[in-house]
């Protein structure tokens, strides 16, 4: 049994299963990105989560007789057939995109039905474990530069070296360095992605404990790790989260906390070079995009198909909006090769971010449906915690989606679809809720 917090113990296997799912959520390497990719390459990384899920279901049988599950699956299957027909592409490689779409929905359903509301504290606990691991190895790499020789013994990743999928050592030559500090990538492929994995854990902690650091070592570990990522996305969402919780019940203590602690801290964070310069650069969007496209076209001519890179989040959102305008009804599908951008601009580029991509890929009707489900899920998740904020989870996933694709990624999808598949009995009784909220405020 694993102790998650004072009231919750969980069987070791179930904890280990979600630990592995978080590794796949992090997608440090192409192998751990297999849960959302094509049916190609080494089959072992694809089979691992499938086998573990089968064992999980044997240990925790659940019923798949669930009307909302199959209605949603039928809607997504109908859309899949429509886009395949529209683009006249029923090839195995293209069909695999839709196989993984249904696969992601089923996995999310299993997570929600097996773990219920325990999914949230367990996820927080696992992210605290990954945070502690990352802080140890990141600290070693900063304090002892000679440790580079040790980390280079492990397989290379896009931005460093993979230490047993637990930590991605940062290669200073491949990633931004602030002063003498490299950024902490944790168990993911880059720091920003690791940061948005930390954000739900921070929100879970806030939902249970409110804004407090007393006897709350986990939030200290999570926030310290977030600081080490030096992620503009992570910092921005975390500041917004604390503002939401700070002003959800305004009193003199919280006003003083905002005036003397959070406001100065926010000003300091956004004055840092890597924050300010990045925001200033994005303000010159047209010039930045023009320069970037010129460089990309040049490298594509020199290196051909071997040259492959991605656009910034705001540039990507701009082009995804054009993609949406080209195919507003059913979208360009999950296969990026069918998009206007890939067809007309460059096949050597990847558009990052998922906020606009939901509409450009799935079209207006499925896009609206998915975002309605997200907000409904946020409301249902809020009913599982003592400290409620109806749309906090939706807000953090939306803001995270500006920089990264969220939908169909393991764990993130369970948060997104929670409202469809959750047990009603997981909601906290309103009378108990009122009593507990008073206790939390008194503690604070």
């Amino acid at each position: 049994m694993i102790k998650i917090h004072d009231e919750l113990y969980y069987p070791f296997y179930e904890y280990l299963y979600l630990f592995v799912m978080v590794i796949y959520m992090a997608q440090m390497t192409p192998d751990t990105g297999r849960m959302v990719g094509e049916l190609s390459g080494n089959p072992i990384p694809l089979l691992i989560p499938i086998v573990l899920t089968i064992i999980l279901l044997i240990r925790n049988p659940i019923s798949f007789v669930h009307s909302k599950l199959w209605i949603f699956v039928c809607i997504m299957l109908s859309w899949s057939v429509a886009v395949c027909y529209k683009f006249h592409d029923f090839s195995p490689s293209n069909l695999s995109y839709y196989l993984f779409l249904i696969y992601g929905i089923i996995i999310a359903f299993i997570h929600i039905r097996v773990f219920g509301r325990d999914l949230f504290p367990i996820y927080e606990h696992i992210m605290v474990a990954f945070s502690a691991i990352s802080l140890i190895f990141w600290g070693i790499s900063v304090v002892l530069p000679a440790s580079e020789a040790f980390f280079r013994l492990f397989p290379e990743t896009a931005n460093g070296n993979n230490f047993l999928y637990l930590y991605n050592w940062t290669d200073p030559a491949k990633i931004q360095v602030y002063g003498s500090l490299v950024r902490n990538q944790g168990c993911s492929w880059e720091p920003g992605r690791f940061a948005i994995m930390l954000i739900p854990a921070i929100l879970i902690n806030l939902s249970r404990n409110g804004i407090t650091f007393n006897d709350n070592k986990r939030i200290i570990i999570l926030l310290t790790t977030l600081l080490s990522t030096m992620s503009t996305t992570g910092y921005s969402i975390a500041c917004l989260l604390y503002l939401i919780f700070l002003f959800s019940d305004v009193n003199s203590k919280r006003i003083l906390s905002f005036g003397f602690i959070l406001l100065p801290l926010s000003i300091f964070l956004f004055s840092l070079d890597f924050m300010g310069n990045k925001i200033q650069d994005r303000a010159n969007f047209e010039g930045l995009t023009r320069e970037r496209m010129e460089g990309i076209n040049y490298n594509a001519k020199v290196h051909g198909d071997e040259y492959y890179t991605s656009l910034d989040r705001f540039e990507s959102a701009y082009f995804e909006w054009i993609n949406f305008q080209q195919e507003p009804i059913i979208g360009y599908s999950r296969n990026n090769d069918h998009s206007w951008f890939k067809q007309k601009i460059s096949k050597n580029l990847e558009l990052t971010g998922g906020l606009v991509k939901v509409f450009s890929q799935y079209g207006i009707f499925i896009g609206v449906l998915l975002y309605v489900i997200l907000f409904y899920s946020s409301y249902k998740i809020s009913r599982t915690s003592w400290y409620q904020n109806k749309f906090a989870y939706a807000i953090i996933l939306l803001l995270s989606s500006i920089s990264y694709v969220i939908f169909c990624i393991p764990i993130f999808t369970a948060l997104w679809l929670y409202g469809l598949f959750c047990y009603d009995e997981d909601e906290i009784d309103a009378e108990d809720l009122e009593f507990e909220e008073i206790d939390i405020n008194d503690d604070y």
Side-chain angles (χ1 to χ4, degrees), residues 69 114 141 249 335 401-402:
L69 169 64
V114 169
S141 66
D249 184 19
N335 187 343
S401 294
I402 293 174

Side-chain angles (χ1 to χ4, degrees), residues 23 28-29 31-32 45 130 162-168 186-188:
I23 290 176
M28 183 196 297
T29 69
D31 283 343
T32 50
F130 274 113
N162 169 16
F163 180 74
L164 306 178
Y165 292 99
L166 300 175
Y167 176 71
N168 189 7
C187 59
S188 190

Side-chain angles (χ1 to χ4, degrees), residues 35-36 98-111 407-410 413-414 417 421:
M35 286 185 72
V36 296
Y98 310 101
L99 172 65
F100 279 105
L101 171 62
I102 305 304
Y103 172 64
I105 294 169
I106 299 295
I107 290 292
F109 176 81
I110 292 169
H111 287 169
F407 187 65
C408 269
I409 302 299
T413 313
L417 301 179
F421 306 142

